[in-house]
Amino acid sequence: MSLSFIEALHLNALDELKRIPKSDLHSHAGRGGNISYIEAWSGAKIEPPGRPFDSLRDMQAWFESNIKIHCRGLQGYLKRIEASFAQAHADRIEVLALSFGLDEISALGGMKTFMGIIDELHRCFAPGTSFFPELSLGRESRIEDILIEMDEVLAYRWFASIDICNDEFAQPIRHFKPIYQMAKAAGLKLRAHVGEFGTPDDVQEAVEELELDEVHHGIAAARSVTVMNWLADHHIRLNVCPTSNILLRLADSYASHPLRKLYDYGVLVTINTDDLLIFNQSVSQEYLNLYQSGLMTAEELDHIRETGLGYVGSLHKHH
Ligand SMILES: [Zn+2]
């Protein structure tokens, strides 16, 4: 007999959790695989990071010298994308957003070949997963450079959403307004990394300036009742990545993660991996960690799981 998600959490049954449908709505495609998958392919022994990182730069340096070194060049890149799909299949991720940068499109020779290769990997390694590709723009990018490429990228109607990633302080987010207006006109879901390292006001400002539908991270909002109420009222969903936050020193532990506060104020949240090849916790493990820490009940986590799968809207406003 198979267990329900709630029963599986109560029984600490990771294998059962893996068999139950879930979503991963924030995963960087080239860093979304499982470390053991890369170990098996490369024959290398890879130790997960045993300590928190001091910065995104520190994290990137770890990734270069512990993961990328074993999967070099185009072949290594494609193996990492394959690993992301294989992980989604293994953890029964039924709704998967993977984000790609403009540099990844050009490295594969432009949109047409890029889409063909990625779609083929999806078909081969995660055929049961609904895949929603996301275009992720570096916050440090020159806006003019992005605008030159947007028409061609959007013309294929392949990307389902757009995002801004990397250093939140690189430039004001409103600089991206013309790009987000194009993306909105093309029907993309609008997301951005904000309120990870920044402030509650940064979250609200980004949502207002760019008309965001969702925020990646956004956990800083938990420091402002005003901003949490505003997010809840506007049904803005935060795609939260607990282990990423802990390993980047943005939360002290699962037991004290701001997810609790956001949920209590009625902010829509989902649970996601961010960079599984670095943070080394699958979606199933993220749920189990949050349950075992006592932060959330099994029923609340099941509600969050359903939110990610799109089953429910804003139903749990408590105040
Ligand atoms: Zn991210």
Side-chain angles (χ1 to χ4, degrees):
M1 200 192 81
S2 60
L3 301 175
S4 73
F5 189 74
I6 291 169
E7 291 166 332
L9 285 172
H10 288 157
L11 293 170
N12 185 22
L14 183 60
D15 284 341
E16 290 292 326
L17 292 174
K18 284 188 192 172
R19 290 189 198 107
I20 296 169
K22 293 171 294 296
S23 64
D24 194 351
L25 303 169
H26 179 40
S27 174
H28 298 267
R31 308 193 293 240
N34 196 300
I35 287 177
S36 58
Y37 196 89
I38 299 299
E39 279 187 317
W41 174 69
S42 67
K45 179 85 193 100
I46 303 172
E47 288 296 333
R51 57 167 180 98
F53 300 107
D54 294 324
S55 61
L56 284 178
R57 187 186 295 252
D58 183 26
M59 181 195 90
Q60 187 59 30
W62 183 91
F63 183 66
E64 299 279 343
S65 54
N66 291 273
I67 303 288
K68 261 187 155 177
I69 194 168
H70 303 303
C71 22
R72 293 175 192 276
L74 199 52
Q75 194 197 14
Y77 167 74
L78 293 175
K79 186 54 67 174
R80 284 185 281 118
I81 305 298
E82 173 189 313
S84 292
F85 283 117
Q87 173 61 25
H89 180 74
D91 200 28
R92 194 147 178 205
I93 302 303
E94 289 200 346
V95 181
L96 174 69
L98 287 180
S99 64
F100 301 86
L102 286 168
D103 57 327
E104 294 170 65
I105 299 168
S106 46
L108 295 189
M111 268 308 280
K112 206 165 180 177
T113 49
F114 173 78
M115 294 183 309
I117 290 167
I118 304 300
D119 284 340
E120 183 63 15
L121 289 170
H122 171 218
R123 268 193 297 276
C124 290
F125 294 94
T129 295
S130 299
F131 167 48
F132 298 91
E134 179 162 289
L135 176 65
S136 196
L137 308 168
R139 180 79 172 247
E140 71 288 350
S141 308
R142 276 168 45 102
I143 303 299
E144 312 87 88
D145 293 345
I146 299 171
L147 282 169
I148 291 167
E149 300 191 52
M150 283 302 281
D151 278 326
E152 200 217 335
V153 168
L154 294 178
Y156 287 92
R157 303 189 155 275
W158 187 74
F159 282 107
S161 59
I162 189 166
D163 169 45
I164 301 166
C165 66
N166 301 342
D167 178 8
E168 259 185 85
F169 309 111
Q171 64 178 312
I173 205 150
R174 64 183 150 76
H175 290 181
F176 288 83
K177 212 164 177 169
I179 297 164
Y180 270 60
Q181 284 170 342
M182 287 176 78
K184 187 179 184 177
L188 274 67
K189 202 176 269 285
L190 309 183
R191 298 170 170 152
H193 281 65
V194 66
E196 182 184 13
F197 294 88
T199 67
D201 288 344
D202 291 339
V203 177
Q204 184 168 341
E205 184 200 337
V207 173
E208 289 184 315
E209 289 282 355
L210 303 184
E211 301 182 59
L212 301 182
D213 301 296
E214 298 171 21
V215 169
H216 287 328
H217 298 288
I219 54 166
R223 302 201 300 263
S224 164
V225 168
T226 311
V227 173
M228 284 192 288
N229 284 334
W230 186 85
L231 290 170
D233 289 343
H234 290 82
H235 310 291
I236 304 299
R237 193 174 75 194
L238 308 187
N239 298 318
V240 177
C241 311
T243 305
S244 165
N245 299 148
I246 293 168
L247 285 182
L248 284 166
R249 301 182 196 273
L250 298 164
D252 291 331
S253 65
Y254 297 110
S256 63
H257 193 281
L259 181 74
R260 175 76 260 165
K261 208 164 184 184
L262 293 164
Y263 188 89
D264 286 341
Y265 277 86
V267 181
L268 284 170
V269 290
T270 61
I271 306 292
N272 311 278
T273 56
D274 203 359
D275 304 293
L276 185 50
L277 269 178
I278 301 171
F279 303 124
N280 199 33
Q281 295 294 297
S282 67
V283 172
S284 290
Q285 287 170 313
E286 294 279 357
Y287 279 110
L288 199 52
N289 292 334
L290 293 166
Y291 176 69
Q292 291 184 332
S293 73
L295 184 77
M296 309 294 290
T297 68
E299 288 76 12
E300 289 166 342
L301 291 168
D302 196 34
H303 173 246
I304 292 173
R305 180 184 70 87
E306 291 184 337
T307 302
L309 288 169
Y311 294 167
V312 286
S314 177
L315 295 173
H316 64 280
K317 207 166 171 189
H318 293 181
H319 58 291

